[in-house]
Amino acid sequence: QVQLVESGGGLVQAGGSLRLSCAASGRTDSTKAMAWFRQAPGKEREFVSTISWSTGNTNYADSVKGRFTISRDNAKKTVYLQMNDLKPEDTAVYYCAASRLRWLTTVSSNYDYWGQGTQVTVSS
């Protein structure tokens, strides 16, 4: 089993920044990629970004390209999401997820482990 714990959410004004962290523990060697998803009230969970543990390759949703940056610290088994120029439409619960697949995927059902989520609220 793999446990994921997110932190770093909060309330920020539009145009501000936040950095989310996701610490992985347990059988982390079984995971190949990490990702961030988000879910706003009344909406489906959507892909935000993903990163490979080994190569550092990344992928982003079009809605966050140029504003969000995903990174990882392999030694700490921690993934980060730096969010800049935040907009009210970024308001959501942000979830960290881990996949055992060897390729990057944007599909939530391909992720095996999930964190509890952290709330990000952007005021206008």
Side-chain angles (χ1 to χ4, degrees), residues 68-112:
F68 291 11
T69 302
I70 192 170
S71 62
R72 91 281 194 221
D73 184 327
N74 288 49
K76 295 182 178 180
K77 284 299 180 184
T78 300
V79 174
Y80 305 97
L81 186 68
Q82 177 66 43
M83 305 185 294
N84 298 329
D85 190 23
L86 283 160
K87 304 176 181 181
E89 51 264 40
D90 294 318
T91 295
V93 176
Y94 283 70
Y95 296 92
C96 176
S99 169
R100 292 177 292 180
L101 294 178
R102 294 186 179 275
W103 57 89
L104 298 181
T105 175
T106 65
V107 179
S108 61
S109 59
N110 286 336
Y111 287 84
D112 305 286

Side-chain angles (χ1 to χ4, degrees), residues 1-62:
Q1 281 285 36
V2 175
Q3 294 78 43
L4 303 175
V5 179
E6 303 102 331
S7 61
L11 173 64
V12 65
Q13 289 188 332
S17 299
L18 282 174
R19 189 177 83 152
L20 305 182
S21 299
C22 173
S25 61
R27 298 186 63 181
T28 57
D29 288 348
S30 66
T31 62
K32 306 304 179 186
M34 301 290 289
W36 290 95
F37 287 79
R38 66 186 182 186
Q39 188 167 19
K43 295 187 177 181
E44 292 187 354
R45 189 170 298 188
E46 66 172 357
F47 167 78
V48 176
S49 184
T50 184
I51 188 167
S52 165
W53 278 122
S54 59
T55 65
N57 288 343
T58 60
N59 191 13
Y60 295 91
D62 288 343

